[in-house]
Amino acid sequence: MPAPIRLRELIRTIRTARTQAEEREMIQKECAAIRSSFREEDNTYRCRNVAKLLYMHMLGYPAHFGQLECLKLIASQKFTDKRIGYLGAMLLLDERQDVHLLMTNCIKNDLNHSTQYVQGLALCTLGCMGSSEMCRDLAGEVEKLLKTSNSYLRKKAALCAVHVIRKVPELMEMFLPATKNLLSEKNHGVLHTSVVLLTEMCERSPDMLAHFRKNEKLVPQLVRILKNLIMSGYSPEHDVSGISDPFLQVRILRLLRILGKSDDDSSEAMNDILAQVATNTETSKNVGNAILYETVLTIMDIKSESGLRVLAINILGRFLLNNDKNIRYVALTSLLKTVQTDHNAVQRHRSTIVDCLKDLDVSIKRRAMELSFALVNGNNVRGMMKELLYFLDSCDPEFKADCASGVFLAAEKYAPSKRWHIDTVMRVLTTAGSYVRDDSVPNLIQLITNSVEMHAYTVQRLYKALLDDISQQPLVQVASWCIGEYGDLLLSGQCEEEEPIQVTEDEVLDVLEGLLASNLSTPVTRGYSLTAIMKLSTRFSSVNRIKKVVSVYGSSIDVELQQRAVEYNALFKKYDHMRPALLERMPIMEKTATNGPSEIVQTNGEAEPSAVEAKHPPPVAQPANQANDLLDLLGGNDVVPVIQTSMPTKPASAGGELLDLLGDLSLSGPAPAPSVPSSQPPFLLDGLSSQPLFNDIAPAGIPPMIAYNKNGLKIDFTFERANPNPNVAVITIHATNSTESEMTEFVFQAAVPKTFQLQLLSPSSNVVPALNQGSVTQVIRVLNPQKQQLRMRIKLTYTHKGSPVQDLSEVNNFPPQSWQ
Amino acid sequence: MMQFMLLFSRQGKLRLQKWYVPLSDKEKKKITRELVQTVLARKPKMCSFLEWRDLKVVYKRYASLYFCCAVENQDNELITLEIIHRYVELLDKYFGSVCELDIIFNFEKAYFILDEFLLGGEAQETSKKNVLKAIEQADLLQENVDFQTRLFAAPT
């Protein structure tokens, strides 16, 4: 049999193929030749054949028949064979293959080979793709090599150990002795990999972390090494654009971050070096900025002094002005992380951030938008909104929904006047009307209802907007609703805020009928229009025209419209005396959240009787300790992080929703904000008065409680303590549905006051079956280091019988054992 | 850690793939296809980072080749750019003004160099000199053995 063709030859040949078919033919031919060569157990050319196979594999062709051959190559004594064999193993064999385990013995032998390059191959392969079983078998060998004086092997062994720990965390302990003097090495490779190993250990185990902090005095060692890197002169071997070993510097900074987090002593020990790095690092090239970036992240995460934090934010501010878009991107991401804790410092860079809204890069624009919303406050709301509305006008469709929601939220919280609020809402509806979320329509309607003095102005503006454009459904829906309610104000020309328009009844009815007939209107919109027309029958005088319209739609194909029309017809015919009362002006609506606490007390099976009484006392002046509770609950801008690991809520709005959930607790918000404070005192008193009832602390077993029970949806909380950490309460929610139709797209969200930390794990499903046939469970972990009374605000969204339902509720009847 | 590194041409042909997480062949192919499409669709003015699934993707174009790395959320994107650059420098030093053809015809060497620079998704050696020295020595070892075999093996 002639010698198989060389690798380069094959590559050249395949590249001459002009079509996919031609290439496939060549490959098949060569594969056949390789297969027969394998069958003949040809040792000389096995290496060459496997190399060719690997090339074909990269092109996308199957190469599984070469797996065993790789093993034979690894077992060979020739270095060339081993090199290709290990490469083949890494490419073709992963831990899912049965053949994988057969490698273990070969690797074990090679780990003890006399040639370091062979040992290196084995370490590399084990460290890249070793399975858990292999790692268990060979951990001892790796540990041995970690202690060798050969730095070439030591550095590889360190990273191999990292892989072993990732695969089999229980083995971490056995590597501890070997880490003793890793950092006293001079070799940078060993230093770098050692820092990676120590980082992995500290991240995985709080005990290790404590050990390294106290016993090993890791921080001073790292500070010393970092100092040497910065202060020492030029070292050609490790220099990158004037900076000595940036890779090592960055890893050290990262390890310092972990060591300094929540630890005063460690943080203090590293303050100086962080300041030094932050001020002395050259910023003209990417390398320097990479180090500064890591430094900033570390400063923000540890307990650094305020001067250092300001320095860090200023570095980020400088980054924002950098020409390099990568740097700008990184700055925006970091600022987003720090805006909650260092709000004022970030505010100083507001104008630069707003400028980034005009950047060409999509990722930068998104970051800038999120950050801008986080920076809006009472003082800058007018200016910021102008910029954000301009952004809304010109941005890509993918941003519009989130931007619109953000604008609504910010407007709700910080609107300086009702007129401004309504104008802003109008602006959003007219520019991005088709992108606003569905639940914004009812929210806006409620807002408009509550701004009594603005009714005339609002309806006028909405009417004018309708004349321009009827394609944006949310706008059309809000507009028709308003015209239905306030049509009389439209006619009377009473507007104070701007020039009143002159319009006749017929013109208005023309517009509304146009909406009904238009192809652009969705069925929901049509429903709104029909109802609006009906309402006008008590406000306008052209009742006959309205009667005609209503009767026409009595035979509409759309069932919803037909039903409405028939009922309205009946109203005209048989119940005309009731019509004025039924179609009266809507009263001011209360926001649903304020109904929360009283609902829970009524339905909670374990309701404390005194808690019920606590609901009723009038809002008297608060004693001092209640004021403290108040400040405590005033989340305001300090959003409590809720890490929801499951459902697809959009990330940009998730933060917004949290603000929404906690925003109602803010008593110092501006007057027009819809969160009505009158319900706050009962809530606070409730919390205080429920305490005396549970003086005797039950020994074990925290009783479950009903957290929510409304409209057929019942949510129970059951408790258990997380064993390693007594500050963590593990709550399991069970949601059941007693109605006859199931609840789909069920999403449970929760927020807690800022002294707590909350983590939501994935729910069991998002469909709550009907008639209590099953339940949705989800685990919540609450960290309560200050042992404060646990309270929670929950938000439920689901779809029931085809329509979306949303409810906010407060849970404050937690048994004391759950938080003491 | 780096989860994987892909090298591909402007036409989307894969030139090198290094995976540091266990995935089936099918998943690897799917990820590769998706990512290649996403990166090739990016305009030149856009930044080198993008969020993809739950990872951060750092990519840079050198002549006709895209170097694309997926790193985890705690990793520093800017230093990842430096890692990519360092790898390119190593290839350049080894091949002498490296171009895409070098990597096509000597893909196994490209892998060997990568495996001396990175291990398990992390950098194992931060000195350019040391990486190149190790490769040089390993190449010599390969040659010596081959040389001996050629000298003493019976001609076929």
Side-chain angles (χ1 to χ4, degrees):
Chain A
M1 174 159 192
I5 65 171
R6 293 177 178 279
L7 171 64
R8 312 271 178 270
E9 194 61 50
L10 176 69
I11 299 178
R12 209 168 294 133
T13 315
I14 292 181
R15 283 172 63 77
T16 61
R18 272 161 300 165
T19 65
Q20 186 75 9
E22 215 181 309
E23 181 184 280
R24 211 175 314 138
E25 209 185 294
M26 291 179 185
I27 301 259
Q28 272 171 356
K29 201 168 120 207
E30 186 57 38
C31 275
I34 293 178
R35 259 192 258 244
S36 38
S37 182
F38 283 163
R39 266 196 297 272
E40 288 170 20
E41 298 283 336
D42 186 330
N43 288 339
T44 331
Y45 295 112
R46 182 176 289 126
C47 177
R48 187 185 288 184
N49 285 329
V50 170
K52 286 187 286 185
L53 201 56
L54 293 179
Y55 177 72
M56 296 189 284
H57 177 251
M58 183 140 65
L59 291 178
Y61 296 93
H64 44 271
F65 56 90
Q67 286 169 359
L68 269 173
E69 303 299 315
C70 292
L71 285 182
K72 294 182 195 161
L73 282 175
I74 293 175
S76 152
Q77 286 313 305
K78 281 162 61 181
F79 184 65
T80 318
D81 283 356
K82 282 191 191 285
R83 242 184 164 184
I84 295 288
Y86 277 118
L87 179 61
M90 284 194 273
L91 288 175
L92 300 180
L93 289 170
D94 58 60
E95 51 186 61
R96 293 137 192 269
Q97 317 286 350
D98 305 318
V99 193
H100 180 91
L101 269 175
L102 297 173
M103 271 201 292
T104 314
N105 215 28
C106 284
I107 295 187
K108 187 166 189 170
N109 292 334
D110 283 340
L111 283 175
N112 293 307
H113 203 274
S114 48
T115 313
Q116 70 176 13
Y117 297 106
V118 174
Q119 289 173 293
L121 284 176
L123 279 169
C124 180
T125 309
L126 182 58
C128 288
M129 43 90 75
S131 63
S132 324
E133 293 85 32
M134 271 173 78
C135 287
R136 252 186 254 270
D137 287 338
L138 299 171
E141 306 293 328
V142 175
E143 199 258 343
K144 224 167 47 187
L145 286 170
L146 195 50
K147 298 193 279 218
T148 174
S149 53
N150 181 336
S151 48
Y152 177 78
L153 292 175
R154 212 171 181 200
K155 71 187 186 202
K156 289 183 194 272
L159 287 182
C160 205
V162 171
H163 180 83
V164 169
I165 292 175
R166 283 191 183 133
K167 283 292 191 193
V168 193
E170 303 91 65
L171 290 175
M172 192 177 352
E173 295 281 335
M174 76 183 280
F175 292 107
L176 188 53
T179 63
K180 213 126 182 85
N181 50 8
L182 273 177
L183 289 185
S184 41
E185 268 267 4
K186 289 272 181 281
N187 179 298
H188 280 225
V190 179
L191 276 176
H192 186 272
T193 58
S194 307
V195 172
V196 174
L197 176 57
L198 292 167
T199 308
E200 187 70 28
M201 290 169 117
C202 290
E203 269 176 343
R204 280 194 181 262
S205 156
D207 294 325
M208 284 283 182
L209 179 57
H211 167 79
F212 281 120
R213 264 188 196 138
K214 298 194 173 52
N215 306 348
E216 300 290 339
K217 306 246 184 288
L218 209 48
V219 176
Q221 285 185 64
L222 291 169
V223 168
R224 183 183 44 84
I225 299 173
L226 194 50
K227 202 167 192 140
N228 281 337
L229 283 173
I230 305 173
M231 306 299 269
S232 66
Y234 175 72
S235 152
E237 206 181 322
H238 299 111
D239 181 275
V240 180
S241 305
I243 297 183
S244 190
D245 207 339
F247 304 107
L248 182 56
Q249 289 195 34
V250 164
R251 281 325 292 235
I252 291 180
L253 286 163
R254 187 162 148 186
L255 182 52
L256 284 175
R257 178 155 80 241
I258 297 171
L259 291 168
K261 193 168 184 160
S262 321
D263 188 85
D264 288 317
D265 292 326
S266 305
S267 301
E268 212 190 300
M270 55 180 85
N271 253 318
D272 282 343
I273 192 71
L274 288 174
Q276 211 177 352
V277 175
T279 42
N280 289 345
T281 308
E282 185 64 44
T283 59
S284 54
K285 294 272 181 66
N286 182 57
V287 219
N289 289 323
I291 295 178
L292 281 176
Y293 175 38
E294 197 74 34
T295 313
V296 165
L297 289 177
T298 301
I299 293 176
M300 300 316 289
D301 240 11
I302 65 172
K303 301 197 148 198
S304 46
E305 46 186 44
S306 61
L308 204 52
R309 293 181 90 86
V310 171
L311 181 59
I313 305 250
N314 288 345
I315 292 177
L316 290 178
R318 275 207 312 275
F319 274 6
L320 280 179
L321 299 166
N322 197 308
N323 284 331
D324 187 339
K325 48 195 146 21
N326 293 334
I327 311 277
R328 290 206 298 277
Y329 174 89
V330 145
L332 286 171
T333 315
S334 315
L335 282 171
L336 203 51
K337 284 192 218 148
T338 64
V339 73
Q340 310 301 344
T341 44
D342 293 82
H343 191 87
N344 291 331
V346 182
Q347 280 283 359
R348 256 177 257 141
H349 302 280
R350 197 179 63 241
S351 49
T352 326
I353 293 171
V354 168
D355 279 337
C356 288
L357 285 172
K358 308 188 183 89
D359 202 295
L360 292 164
D361 184 303
V362 169
S363 316
I364 291 186
K365 272 205 274 229
R366 177 166 287 282
R367 292 262 176 308
M369 181 183 82
E370 286 172 18
L371 200 47
S372 301
F373 279 122
L375 286 177
V376 176
N377 65 23
N379 296 330
N380 58 33
V381 64
R382 281 189 195 264
M384 288 294 275
M385 273 305 144
K386 212 162 86 180
E387 295 286 344
L388 287 164
L389 285 171
Y390 181 71
F391 175 68
L392 184 64
D393 277 339
S394 53
C395 69
D396 301 324
E398 58 186 288
F399 288 112
K400 289 208 197 239
D402 291 329
C403 190
S405 310
V407 169
F408 285 149
L409 268 167
E412 226 175 86
K413 286 177 70 172
Y414 300 112
S417 73
K418 292 225 189 225
R419 157 100 190 248
W420 182 92
H421 195 167
I422 302 236
D423 280 341
T424 308
V425 160
M426 289 284 313
R427 177 86 183 272
V428 174
L429 284 179
T430 45
T431 52
S434 29
Y435 297 98
V436 301
R437 292 219 311 266
D438 291 333
D439 62 352
S440 46
V441 171
N443 287 342
L444 292 173
I445 289 179
Q446 186 197 351
L447 167 69
I448 294 171
T449 325
N450 291 351
S451 331
V452 179
E453 65 280 11
M454 305 294 301
H455 285 168
Y457 172 69
T458 313
V459 69
Q460 183 164 294
R461 286 211 56 191
L462 283 169
Y463 179 74
K464 284 202 269 198
L466 266 192
L467 291 176
D468 275 332
D469 172 23
I470 61 168
S471 63
Q472 308 201 74
Q473 299 305 296
L475 173 64
V476 175
Q477 286 167 12
V478 175
S480 0
W481 189 91
C482 282
I483 295 176
E485 280 291 303
Y486 312 119
D488 48 324
L489 296 177
L490 198 56
L491 282 184
S492 65
Q494 268 176 16
C495 186
E496 291 163 1
E497 305 279 347
E498 62 174 23
E499 189 67 36
I501 58 171
Q502 309 299 328
V503 67
T504 66
E505 288 189 10
D506 277 324
E507 284 171 336
V508 176
L509 286 172
D510 280 340
V511 170
L512 285 176
E513 278 189 60
L515 290 176
L516 266 178
S518 165
N519 285 333
L520 295 167
S521 302
T522 62
V524 173
T525 309
R526 291 209 181 94
Y528 271 91
S529 319
L530 188 60
T531 308
I533 293 178
M534 187 59 194
K535 283 193 211 163
L536 288 176
S537 69
T538 50
R539 293 154 173 78
F540 282 7
S541 54
S542 20
V543 181
N544 286 326
R545 177 172 176 182
I546 294 176
K547 266 196 207 170
K548 242 198 319 214
V549 173
V550 165
S551 62
V552 163
Y553 278 90
S555 44
S556 158
I557 304 176
D558 184 326
V559 179
E560 172 72 27
L561 274 185
Q562 190 189 98
Q563 179 176 357
R564 286 186 191 216
V566 165
E567 286 175 5
Y568 294 156
N569 240 345
L571 205 54
F572 274 125
K573 293 205 164 57
K574 288 196 263 181
Y575 301 100
D576 207 40
H577 54 281
M578 286 173 61
R579 193 164 45 90
L582 274 176
L583 299 177
E584 214 175 53
R585 205 52 117 239
M586 289 277 193
I588 296 184
M589 296 181 230
E590 301 232 333
K591 216 163 162 65
T592 46
T594 60
N595 290 329
S598 48
E599 293 277 338
I600 287 177
V601 171
Q602 280 161 20
T603 56
N604 186 347
E606 295 170 67
E608 313 93 313
S610 65
V612 177
E613 279 144 34
K615 289 271 166 278
H616 299 294
V620 292
Q622 318 295 327
N625 52 353
Q626 276 182 308
N628 285 338
D629 270 351
L630 190 85
L631 287 173
D632 217 345
L633 284 174
L634 278 178
N637 285 328
D638 294 339
V639 177
V640 173
V642 173
I643 312 147
Q644 199 170 345
T645 51
S646 58
M647 309 315 280
T649 39
K650 303 186 263 284
S653 55
E657 282 180 296
L658 279 177
L659 287 173
D660 196 19
L661 285 174
L662 289 176
D664 287 343
L665 296 172
S666 159
L667 277 195
S668 59
S675 58
V676 181
S678 61
S679 70
Q680 294 310 313
F683 179 67
L684 291 176
L685 285 174
D686 190 38
L688 284 182
S689 63
S690 66
Q691 278 179 0
L693 284 184
F694 295 91
N695 275 329
D696 44 324
I697 300 166
I702 306 165
M705 58 176 266
I706 301 177
Y708 177 90
N709 195 345
K710 193 170 153 190
N711 294 335
L713 174 65
K714 180 153 96 82
I715 298 189
D716 296 293
F717 282 6
T718 54
F719 301 91
E720 56 191 43
R721 275 262 175 256
N723 275 332
N725 189 349
N727 288 337
V728 177
V730 180
I731 306 173
T732 308
I733 71 152
H734 305 265
T736 48
N737 165 14
S738 59
T739 66
E740 323 95 52
S741 47
E742 59 180 15
M743 297 170 176
T744 55
E745 290 161 48
F746 177 81
V747 175
F748 174 92
Q749 286 169 286
V752 289
K754 66 180 180 200
T755 52
F756 299 87
Q757 274 184 14
L758 187 73
Q759 183 187 14
L760 272 178
L761 305 180
S762 309
S764 59
S765 92
N766 62 347
V767 175
V768 192
L771 298 169
N772 292 328
Q773 280 170 14
S775 66
V776 167
T777 56
Q778 190 166 6
V779 175
I780 310 172
R781 295 168 63 93
V782 181
L783 177 66
N784 183 6
Q786 296 182 25
K787 298 275 189 208
Q788 301 246 327
Q789 178 180 15
L790 180 58
R791 4 162 151 277
M792 192 185 283
R793 181 160 279 209
I794 62 178
K795 179 169 176 177
L796 307 153
T797 47
Y798 54 91
T799 305
H800 189 231
K801 293 184 185 158
S803 38
V805 180
Q806 181 184 302
D807 199 11
L808 280 173
S809 170
E810 264 149 358
V811 186
N812 50 14
N813 53 337
F814 284 94
Q817 303 97 307
S818 65
W819 46 269
Q820 271 168 357
Chain B
M1 73 178 247
M2 188 185 298
Q3 291 210 354
F4 57 85
M5 180 192 278
L6 302 172
L7 264 69
F8 49 90
S9 69
R10 306 252 299 126
Q11 289 75 39
K13 293 206 94 130
L14 200 60
R15 298 300 179 205
L16 192 143
Q17 51 174 334
K18 185 76 190 178
W19 300 83
Y20 294 108
V21 286
L23 291 165
S24 69
D25 242 2
K26 204 166 117 198
E27 285 170 82
K28 286 184 194 167
K29 281 210 171 94
K30 180 156 173 261
I31 291 177
T32 308
R33 207 173 33 232
E34 236 182 84
L35 206 50
V36 168
Q37 221 173 23
T38 312
V39 171
L40 287 178
R42 304 267 291 180
K43 304 192 196 58
K45 284 261 183 269
M46 297 177 113
C47 71
S48 300
F49 315 127
L50 56 106
E51 287 107 34
W52 185 80
R53 300 201 184 174
D54 57 339
L55 299 168
K56 298 198 268 205
V57 170
V58 180
Y59 72 93
K60 189 145 187 218
R61 189 174 142 213
Y62 287 87
S64 57
L65 268 185
Y66 281 90
F67 286 70
C68 187
C69 298
V71 297
E72 291 172 343
N73 271 310
Q74 334 81 291
D75 292 322
N76 182 325
E77 298 97 314
L78 297 179
I79 209 75
T80 310
L81 274 176
E82 291 300 318
I83 293 207
I84 294 179
H85 191 73
R86 173 57 64 91
Y87 182 46
V88 174
E89 284 180 324
L90 290 168
L91 290 170
D92 194 59
K93 210 56 195 283
Y94 183 82
F95 287 110
S97 295
V98 68
C99 63
E100 193 184 341
L101 274 180
D102 290 318
I103 301 186
I104 294 172
F105 279 94
N106 301 285
F107 71 93
E108 82 277 14
K109 298 258 171 51
Y111 274 110
F112 295 153
I113 296 173
L114 186 61
D115 285 339
E116 278 300 325
F117 176 41
L118 302 176
L119 201 163
E122 306 274 3
Q124 58 178 288
E125 180 58 68
T126 55
S127 151
K128 232 188 311 192
K129 190 178 87 178
N130 285 350
V131 176
L132 291 167
K133 198 162 68 174
I135 291 285
E136 207 182 288
Q137 301 281 43
D139 282 348
L140 270 176
L141 198 60
Q142 198 173 319
E143 258 172 59
N144 284 343
V145 177
D146 280 353
F147 183 61
Q148 285 180 340
T149 329
R150 249 179 274 134
L151 260 185
F152 298 117
T156 32

